Amino acid sequence: MVKKRLKEIDKTLISAAFQLAATTRSSALLIFLDPLKDPPSEAPPKGCHLIYVTCRPPTDMETYLTDHTEPVIHLPSVNMTRMGQIKMAVVLALSKSLIRLGDKIVFLTGHQEGEFLDSVVFIDTAKEQEIITTDGLQELTGEVRPDVFQHLFSIALELASHGREGKPVGTIFVVGDEEKVLQLSKQMIINPFKGYSDEEKGILSPSLRETIIEFSALDGAFVISSDGLVLSAGRYLGAVGDVDATPQGLGSRHIAAAGITALTKAIALVISESTGDLRIFKNGKVIMEIEKPTRR
């Protein structure tokens, strides 16, 4: 009886989400799949496309979505609020060009470890400041490869949630426009990535993940090329932008990230050591802020 009632709740919310997408003429409907036993069978409204969101490993989704061709956004496996899910999914959808700034979208979600969907949220990305700040933003990732940004985003969230060996860490990842970033910064320590092949220092390499986590304890920033090569760690960012534009209460790491992104086309991901919050900078400003995720 309980399972039947939960199934009815899912059916009702899915129907409501499709109706809302049609009424608002939304261009995309994002559905968090993890609480669902099976993906929805309904066709989306005309002019609206489905995007699936999950925390499950890609290998698990291959069987689950055998008969489906919709794009899938994989979120890191950390506990997060409903708004946390939405923020992460939106930034990754933007980075993969699945949606554009200005699009209207509907998000259907629920608790990560729950058994049913429980929330329908309508978002106008042109107006919703809590989701993403659009002021001064042309494109989220620019020349940075979407898979590189997604992988780096996942590592940053893992560090924000778990820290290093259970201890909080604060660090900066600067990705893209690497030549100019290197010109405007200097090495604080011997570069631990110098002398390695491109294959060995490619951020998409699974073996490099733990190395990055280990080096996150170093002072300074990671510099990563737009195609995913980790060029340096322990880098001092000397560029200074408009300090007044940096939100009050943020420390030197955030000021450094604001400065380097104001003077280059790079993106900076900053983890606060004191709070574990993750902020993304572009054009000298915070465009995304995610409160510290918790361990699952």
Short mmCIF file of all heavy atoms in Angstrom, two decimals, residues 7-8 26 74 93 95 101 108 116 121 144 146 161 163-164 180 197 201 218 230 247 254:
data_model
loop_
_atom_site.label_atom_id
_atom_site.label_comp_id
_atom_site.label_asym_id
_atom_site.label_seq_id
_atom_site.Cartn_x
_atom_site.Cartn_y
_atom_site.Cartn_z
N LYS A 7 4.22 5.73 -5.47
CA LYS A 7 4.19 5.72 -6.93
C LYS A 7 3.18 6.74 -7.46
O LYS A 7 3.42 7.41 -8.46
CB LYS A 7 3.84 4.32 -7.45
CG LYS A 7 4.05 4.14 -8.94
CD LYS A 7 3.88 2.69 -9.34
CE LYS A 7 4.15 2.54 -10.84
NZ LYS A 7 3.98 1.11 -11.26
N GLU A 8 2.06 6.88 -6.76
CA GLU A 8 1.05 7.87 -7.15
C GLU A 8 1.58 9.29 -6.96
O GLU A 8 1.28 10.19 -7.75
CB GLU A 8 -0.23 7.66 -6.33
CG GLU A 8 -1.05 6.45 -6.76
CD GLU A 8 -1.50 6.56 -8.20
OE1 GLU A 8 -1.98 7.65 -8.60
OE2 GLU A 8 -1.36 5.57 -8.94
N SER A 26 8.76 26.49 -20.94
CA SER A 26 10.15 26.22 -20.55
C SER A 26 10.86 25.44 -21.66
O SER A 26 10.26 24.61 -22.35
CB SER A 26 10.19 25.42 -19.25
OG SER A 26 9.73 26.21 -18.18
N HIS A 74 25.68 14.04 -14.35
CA HIS A 74 26.09 13.28 -13.17
C HIS A 74 26.60 14.23 -12.09
O HIS A 74 27.59 14.94 -12.28
CB HIS A 74 27.18 12.28 -13.55
CG HIS A 74 26.70 11.17 -14.42
ND1 HIS A 74 26.13 10.02 -13.92
CD2 HIS A 74 26.66 11.05 -15.77
CE1 HIS A 74 25.79 9.23 -14.92
NE2 HIS A 74 26.10 9.82 -16.05
N ALA A 93 24.74 21.96 -16.59
CA ALA A 93 23.97 22.03 -17.83
C ALA A 93 24.43 23.21 -18.69
O ALA A 93 24.54 23.10 -19.92
CB ALA A 93 22.48 22.15 -17.53
N SER A 95 27.49 24.48 -18.59
CA SER A 95 28.84 24.19 -19.06
C SER A 95 28.82 23.23 -20.25
O SER A 95 29.72 23.26 -21.09
CB SER A 95 29.68 23.59 -17.93
OG SER A 95 29.32 22.26 -17.65
N LEU A 101 21.89 30.70 -20.66
CA LEU A 101 21.42 31.76 -19.77
C LEU A 101 20.24 32.48 -20.42
O LEU A 101 20.29 32.83 -21.59
CB LEU A 101 22.55 32.75 -19.48
CG LEU A 101 23.65 32.23 -18.55
CD1 LEU A 101 24.81 33.20 -18.52
CD2 LEU A 101 23.11 31.98 -17.16
N LEU A 108 12.48 18.94 -11.38
CA LEU A 108 11.70 18.00 -10.58
C LEU A 108 12.68 17.17 -9.77
O LEU A 108 13.56 16.49 -10.31
CB LEU A 108 10.88 17.09 -11.50
CG LEU A 108 10.02 15.99 -10.88
CD1 LEU A 108 9.02 16.57 -9.90
CD2 LEU A 108 9.31 15.20 -11.97
N PHE A 116 10.80 8.79 -3.27
CA PHE A 116 9.82 9.44 -4.14
C PHE A 116 10.25 10.89 -4.39
O PHE A 116 11.07 11.45 -3.67
CB PHE A 116 8.43 9.41 -3.51
CG PHE A 116 8.33 10.10 -2.18
CD1 PHE A 116 7.87 11.40 -2.08
CD2 PHE A 116 8.70 9.44 -1.01
CE1 PHE A 116 7.79 12.04 -0.85
CE2 PHE A 116 8.62 10.07 0.22
CZ PHE A 116 8.17 11.37 0.30
N VAL A 121 10.22 22.86 -9.13
CA VAL A 121 10.72 24.23 -9.06
C VAL A 121 10.79 24.81 -10.47
O VAL A 121 11.36 24.17 -11.37
CB VAL A 121 12.11 24.29 -8.41
CG1 VAL A 121 12.61 25.73 -8.34
CG2 VAL A 121 12.08 23.67 -7.01
N VAL A 144 36.99 26.58 -22.13
CA VAL A 144 37.26 25.39 -21.31
C VAL A 144 36.35 24.25 -21.77
O VAL A 144 35.15 24.42 -21.92
CB VAL A 144 37.01 25.68 -19.82
CG1 VAL A 144 37.24 24.42 -18.98
CG2 VAL A 144 37.92 26.80 -19.34
N PRO A 146 33.88 21.31 -21.74
CA PRO A 146 32.85 20.98 -20.75
C PRO A 146 33.20 19.80 -19.86
O PRO A 146 32.93 19.82 -18.67
CB PRO A 146 31.62 20.67 -21.63
CG PRO A 146 31.84 21.45 -22.88
CD PRO A 146 33.33 21.43 -23.10
N SER A 161 33.49 18.91 0.53
CA SER A 161 32.72 18.03 1.40
C SER A 161 33.60 17.23 2.35
O SER A 161 33.36 17.17 3.56
CB SER A 161 31.88 17.07 0.55
OG SER A 161 31.23 16.12 1.35
N GLY A 163 37.25 17.31 2.49
CA GLY A 163 38.54 17.84 2.88
C GLY A 163 39.65 16.86 2.51
O GLY A 163 39.49 15.99 1.66
N ARG A 164 40.78 16.99 3.16
CA ARG A 164 41.91 16.08 2.95
C ARG A 164 42.14 15.31 4.24
O ARG A 164 42.40 15.90 5.28
CB ARG A 164 43.16 16.87 2.56
CG ARG A 164 44.41 16.02 2.40
CD ARG A 164 45.59 16.88 2.02
NE ARG A 164 46.85 16.12 2.04
CZ ARG A 164 47.60 15.95 3.11
NH1 ARG A 164 47.24 16.50 4.27
NH2 ARG A 164 48.72 15.24 3.03
N LYS A 180 48.03 33.56 -20.04
CA LYS A 180 47.95 34.84 -19.35
C LYS A 180 47.95 34.65 -17.83
O LYS A 180 48.53 35.45 -17.08
CB LYS A 180 46.70 35.61 -19.79
CG LYS A 180 46.72 37.07 -19.38
CD LYS A 180 45.65 37.86 -20.08
CE LYS A 180 45.73 39.35 -19.71
NZ LYS A 180 44.67 40.14 -20.38
N SER A 197 54.44 14.02 -18.38
CA SER A 197 53.81 14.02 -19.70
C SER A 197 52.38 14.53 -19.62
O SER A 197 51.77 14.54 -18.54
CB SER A 197 53.82 12.60 -20.28
OG SER A 197 52.94 11.75 -19.54
N LYS A 201 49.47 14.20 -16.47
CA LYS A 201 48.91 15.34 -15.74
C LYS A 201 47.57 15.81 -16.29
O LYS A 201 47.12 16.92 -16.00
CB LYS A 201 49.91 16.49 -15.69
CG LYS A 201 50.34 17.04 -17.03
CD LYS A 201 51.43 18.10 -16.84
CE LYS A 201 51.88 18.68 -18.18
NZ LYS A 201 52.98 19.65 -18.01
N LEU A 218 48.68 22.41 -0.14
CA LEU A 218 49.71 23.42 -0.41
C LEU A 218 49.09 24.81 -0.48
O LEU A 218 47.95 24.98 -0.90
CB LEU A 218 50.39 23.12 -1.76
CG LEU A 218 51.15 21.80 -1.88
CD1 LEU A 218 51.61 21.62 -3.32
CD2 LEU A 218 52.34 21.78 -0.93
N VAL A 230 46.96 19.82 -15.84
CA VAL A 230 47.32 20.50 -14.60
C VAL A 230 48.75 21.00 -14.76
O VAL A 230 49.70 20.24 -14.73
CB VAL A 230 47.21 19.56 -13.38
CG1 VAL A 230 47.51 20.34 -12.10
CG2 VAL A 230 45.83 18.94 -13.30
N PRO A 247 32.57 40.23 -2.52
CA PRO A 247 31.66 40.30 -1.37
C PRO A 247 32.41 40.42 -0.06
O PRO A 247 33.45 39.77 0.14
CB PRO A 247 30.89 38.97 -1.46
CG PRO A 247 30.95 38.60 -2.91
CD PRO A 247 32.28 39.09 -3.40
N HIS A 254 39.67 34.40 -2.08
CA HIS A 254 38.60 34.91 -2.92
C HIS A 254 39.01 36.21 -3.62
O HIS A 254 38.65 36.43 -4.78
CB HIS A 254 37.34 35.13 -2.08
CG HIS A 254 36.82 33.86 -1.47
ND1 HIS A 254 37.24 33.40 -0.24
CD2 HIS A 254 35.92 32.95 -1.92
CE1 HIS A 254 36.62 32.27 0.05
NE2 HIS A 254 35.81 31.98 -0.96
#
